[in-house]
Amino acid sequence: MGTRLYVGNLPFNASEDDIRELFAQKGRSVEEVKLVTDRETVRPRGFGFVEMGSSEDAEGAIRDLDGFNFGGRPLKVN
C-alpha cells in the first residue's frame, strides 16, 4: 500500500503528467496523481495529492521536494 502526499503551492499551469514526472525522479514509484480543480471554473486550485508506491518513496519525495522550486514556486510536500 502506498502513501498519499499533499502537494501545495503548485503553479496553476502544472499538469498531472508534470507532477508525476517530478515525483518519479530517482526511480521513485508514483501510483496516482490528482490535482484539485475548482468545481465551477474547472481551473486548478494550486494543490493536489500524489500516491507513492511505498513509504520509502514517499519519505524520499518529502525530503527532496519540500521547498523545491517548481515553476517559480516553492512546493509544500507533506
Side-chain angles (χ1 to χ4, degrees):
M1 182 174 198
T3 301
R4 181 168 288 222
L5 301 176
Y6 165 83
V7 184
N9 204 31
L10 289 167
F12 294 110
N13 63 348
S15 70
E16 289 184 0
D17 289 338
D18 295 336
I19 303 304
R20 179 178 299 275
E21 185 178 312
L22 178 67
F23 277 75
Q25 291 177 0
K26 298 186 180 180
R28 290 188 286 259
S29 172
V30 177
E31 299 292 322
E32 183 179 33
V33 176
K34 290 285 185 183
L35 298 182
V36 178
T37 57
D38 185 277
R39 291 177 199 221
E40 294 178 18
T41 65
V42 194
R43 289 183 172 170
R45 297 196 55 203
F47 70 95
F49 301 91
V50 177
E51 183 83 25
M52 302 301 293
S54 70
S55 58
E56 292 83 15
D57 287 343
E59 290 169 10
I62 291 169
R63 183 178 53 251
D64 293 344
L65 299 175
D66 187 39
F68 180 79
N69 186 343
F70 183 66
R73 302 179 77 160
L75 296 181
K76 181 63 182 167
V77 181
N78 57 27

